Amino acid sequence: MDKLRSTLKQFVRDWSEEGRKEREACYQPMKDALVQHFSDVPLEQRGGLRVLVPGSGLGRLAHDVAKGSRPGFACQGNEFSHYMLLSSFLILNKTDSINKYTVYPYVHSFSNVNSRQTILQPITIPDVLPTALPPGSDFSLVAGDFEEIYGVETDPNEPQAGEWNAILTCFFIDTAKNIVNYLRIIHRILAPGGVWINLGPLLWHWENNNTNDTSIELDLEEVKALARSIGFNISVRRTVPTNSRFEIDHCDFDLPRPYLERADD
């Protein structure tokens, strides 16, 4: 039930007008950094640059990167959760009009509520037509575990090493059981001169788990040191204040956003 509630609230953030403020607080700095990094690439050549979005959720960030400003980048999202995959399939492939669906994402929680009207607030989705991508857009979504798909070369027809010009991770790296593996994979599959843009907290998902899975939890300074030792140059780092509406009326929080370039070998 918790995953269902979370999915409904992510519909608000990713695909509703009500979620625009939170969405732009998270996604816009990442898209701006991506465009800035490749500012020397002519617009007509941008479609040849490959961007990967692991943990793409309901697909809005990957969709917007592919849509771009005519043209966008070639973008592939990757997601593991069945809840997210089924929901993103509905939005991305089975939606033929704006605001086609109405959801009530807050009816399952009675904590920290202003009024009953807040609980019963309807949200219409999507705020844009996902299928209305510009002609020639390259947008795809791959289902499966990030480490299993991109960590090994399983398909000779789809090599991964050195094939991605940019990797955007949003609320993703703290899903790792072993952050060392994540960073090694990201570095390995980035093309020389490529960029990794990250936004999100270090709320390690597997900390104190009850399944006896081994988990490595590092602080921010340790993550930065690890990234450098693997081969990244940290170009920019700043804190992005965001407002989250995953729960009603909860507080602001700051998110570190390292902006890392692969060091030339």
Side-chain angles (χ1 to χ4, degrees), residues 20-40:
R20 177 187 297 273
K21 182 178 180 180
E22 180 187 350
R23 183 169 63 245
E24 290 188 349
C26 295
Y27 297 163
Q28 195 60 50
M30 303 185 76
K31 293 186 289 184
D32 290 345
L34 177 66
V35 171
Q36 178 183 354
H37 184 77
F38 294 107
S39 59
D40 59 334

Side-chain angles (χ1 to χ4, degrees), residues 1 11 21 25 33 43 91 96 107 122 124 155 170 182 206 215 224 253 259:
M1 194 64 178
F11 270 129
K21 182 178 180 180
L43 285 178
I91 286 291
D96 55 15
V107 297
T124 56
D155 187 347
C170 185
Y182 270 26
W206 294 91
S215 175
K224 289 159 60 180
F253 58 94
Y259 171 18

Side-chain angles (χ1 to χ4, degrees), residues 33-65:
L34 177 66
V35 171
Q36 178 183 354
H37 184 77
F38 294 107
S39 59
D40 59 334
V41 178
L43 285 178
E44 62 271 15
Q45 298 178 19
R46 186 179 292 176
L49 297 172
R50 303 183 71 207
V51 179
L52 176 65
V53 183
S56 56
L58 296 182
R60 182 60 183 263
L61 176 58
H63 168 274
D64 287 357
V65 169

Side-chain angles (χ1 to χ4, degrees), residues 77-89:
N78 165 239
E79 181 55 51
F80 177 75
S81 165
H82 286 85
Y83 291 86
M84 296 297 171
L85 288 169
L86 290 171
S87 300
S88 62
F89 178 81

